[in-house]
Amino acid sequence: MIDLQDKNYPPVLEEIGEYIRNPLFQEFCSELKENFQCREKIEFSSCSWERGWNIKFKKSGKTLCTIYPRENYFTAMLVVGQKEKEPFEAILPECSAEMRKIYCQTREGNGQRWLILDLQDKDALYRDALRLAALRAAK
């Protein structure tokens, strides 16, 4: 088992998948790469919010989504920036009740909301996460 806090051992995507032990992780990563022609970058974060290895999916230098590995699930952080705010709020009524609640409870700072989504099932929140990633990829 990998140690996500070991800065000296950069894991590969497959090892992170083995740590998570949920096939949804690989599926989510594949959908991001295929749908948005983006690449993953595994990075070590020393930030106070979440120290350790994470995966950023970037397109044209813009982060579409950051994934934080957990056991049996993963946390996806998606940003609603100024460019995405209006189109995202337009589709928000169609999103899951959970996504609407997360969006409304997330404070805006510097014109952005950093949405934290715990994903473990291919449910409505999973689909909402991909919709938001699509908006970020388009802008």
Side-chain angles (χ1 to χ4, degrees), residues 22 24 71-74 117-123 126:
N22 184 331
L24 188 69
E71 291 187 45
N72 302 315
Y73 72 101
F74 58 96
L117 313 174
D118 290 333
L119 303 176
Q120 75 183 76
D121 298 305
K122 194 169 185 177
D123 56 10
Y126 175 93

Side-chain angles (χ1 to χ4, degrees), residues 32-122:
L32 288 172
K33 289 192 278 190
E34 290 169 20
N35 293 343
F36 312 120
Q37 291 75 49
C38 62
R39 296 187 333 214
E40 80 269 3
K41 184 172 184 191
I42 299 171
E43 296 181 347
F44 189 86
S45 174
S46 297
C47 78
S48 59
W49 185 76
E50 186 79 26
R51 180 178 165 80
W53 291 102
N54 63 52
I55 307 106
K56 286 185 172 52
F57 284 88
K58 295 184 175 193
K59 180 175 182 167
S60 304
K62 183 178 194 176
T63 301
L64 303 182
C65 175
T66 302
I67 295 177
Y68 298 92
R70 311 279 188 242
E71 291 187 45
N72 302 315
Y73 72 101
F74 58 96
T75 298
M77 181 178 71
L78 292 113
V79 178
V80 178
Q82 292 176 338
K83 293 178 182 175
E84 299 86 20
K85 183 177 180 177
E86 190 176 317
F88 184 69
E89 287 181 351
I91 64 167
L92 194 57
E94 303 165 13
C95 291
S96 65
E98 189 173 4
M99 176 59 98
R100 292 191 305 271
K101 180 180 176 185
I102 290 167
Y103 185 77
C104 290
Q105 291 180 345
T106 302
R107 283 192 7 239
E108 190 171 309
N110 295 330
Q112 299 180 327
R113 291 183 200 222
W114 296 33
L115 306 183
I116 307 299
L117 313 174
D118 290 333
L119 303 176
Q120 75 183 76
D121 298 305
K122 194 169 185 177

